[in-house]
Amino acid sequence: MRFANGWILLLIPAVLYLFWATRKKRGLAFSSIRLLQRTGRTASIKHKIGKALVLCGVILAAIALARPQSTEITDFGQQQGIDIAMLLDVSGSMQSVDFEPNRLEVARKTMDNFIAERVSDRISLVIFAGSAYTRIPLTLDHAVLRTSLAEVSIASVGQDGTAIGMAISVGLNRLKKSDAVSRVMILATDGDNNAGAIDPVTASNLARDLGIRIYTIGIGSDNLILPSQNIFGQTQYLQYEGGFDEALLKRIAETTGGQYFRAMDAEGLERVFATINALEKTEFSEDHYREYHELAYPFIMAALLLLTAGVILDKYHYVQIP
């Protein structure tokens, strides 16, 4: 609690002094008070009640003029989110079962968990195989984003292959007009750039010039294990050597100020996204909001009631006998 005009409270001692200083008896000289006693008037201290009420009313009025206020302080924070373009490879090799159940399913689940933790960030989803397109533009509606991500499959892009340069270019189109304090791409792939008309190095140089960081993730072990159906309808697993171009992914990350990660299993992929989540922190700025509530109204009402009652009692009800 505080007083906006606290100096007015200094008048209260002056009021008390004037009250006591004027208590000297003042009245008319009577040769005898028998005449008043015959009318039923007797000497009494009740005449002081009215003056006491007036004094209390004046003090309350002074308190009201001092403007008592209650103070409420509210802390609040402002969030400055990050704009993120998530680039997900959906080429045929993402069906490899070296992840359980396969690379694509694990990548989708891990990305979904990542999105759930980035509540203040706008996120876009770009999928690519032999070509690339924006599945969801930058949005804060993460429910729609996560629903769309859950529906992504190998068939979502009609052309097979791995167009990393195209994917980066599409991501740049999502982020280049953004005014966010930080803009990043997360590129998750298990293949080498073998499709698309745009060179990944050229695209990453453009990202660097625009101030956009790219985190690259190489998904998969050293062996590619793909399911295949034989003529009898039985599922066989074919194993291939080789995989993604690790040197290319490192170069893309280094060029843009990002980082390269290798995820050889589901747990490793979760750790990668946890690391990125920690690296790209949303900025918070805290502030304090102070709100004052006026408390003078009850004091004003009480002062008026006491003053009115005091004047009535002092002037019209009780009579002081000298």
Side-chain angles (χ1 to χ4, degrees), residues 191-320:
D192 186 11
N193 185 72
N194 56 21
I198 300 177
D199 177 53
V201 175
T202 302
S204 61
N205 287 334
L206 182 57
R208 176 199 61 202
D209 295 339
L210 293 174
I212 298 172
R213 290 186 300 281
I214 302 178
Y215 294 96
T216 55
I217 305 172
I219 299 177
S221 61
D222 293 330
N223 295 319
L224 181 66
I225 306 173
L226 295 176
S228 176
Q229 297 283 339
N230 61 20
I231 58 176
F232 301 105
Q234 296 176 331
T235 301
Q236 296 179 328
Y237 294 94
L238 305 177
Q239 184 168 318
Y240 303 90
E241 293 184 359
F244 49 85
D245 188 345
E246 195 167 37
L248 174 63
L249 296 182
K250 288 181 178 179
R251 182 174 180 181
I252 292 172
E254 292 172 357
T255 298
T256 61
Q259 291 188 32
Y260 164 74
F261 302 93
R262 175 75 183 273
M264 300 187 67
D265 52 35
E267 291 76 16
L269 188 59
E270 290 179 1
R271 288 193 296 270
V272 167
F273 274 94
T275 301
I276 297 174
N277 191 35
L279 289 172
E280 293 295 334
K281 288 292 187 181
T282 300
E283 295 185 8
F284 292 85
S285 58
E286 294 187 356
D287 204 349
H288 303 283
Y289 177 72
R290 191 183 300 269
E291 185 176 1
Y292 298 103
H293 301 281
E294 296 288 346
L295 303 177
Y297 183 74
F299 289 95
I300 294 173
M301 295 298 296
L304 290 175
L305 289 174
L306 291 176
L307 288 171
T308 302
V311 170
I312 292 175
L313 291 176
D314 187 55
K315 299 298 183 182
Y316 302 103
H317 191 71
Y318 297 125
V319 178
Q320 179 177 351

Side-chain angles (χ1 to χ4, degrees), residues 85-105:
M86 306 189 73
L87 283 50
L88 176 60
D89 186 350
V90 296
S91 60
S93 59
M94 290 290 285
Q95 297 179 94
S96 177
V97 295
D98 55 340
F99 283 50
E100 177 62 37
N102 58 55
R103 294 176 179 176
L104 181 58
E105 290 298 320

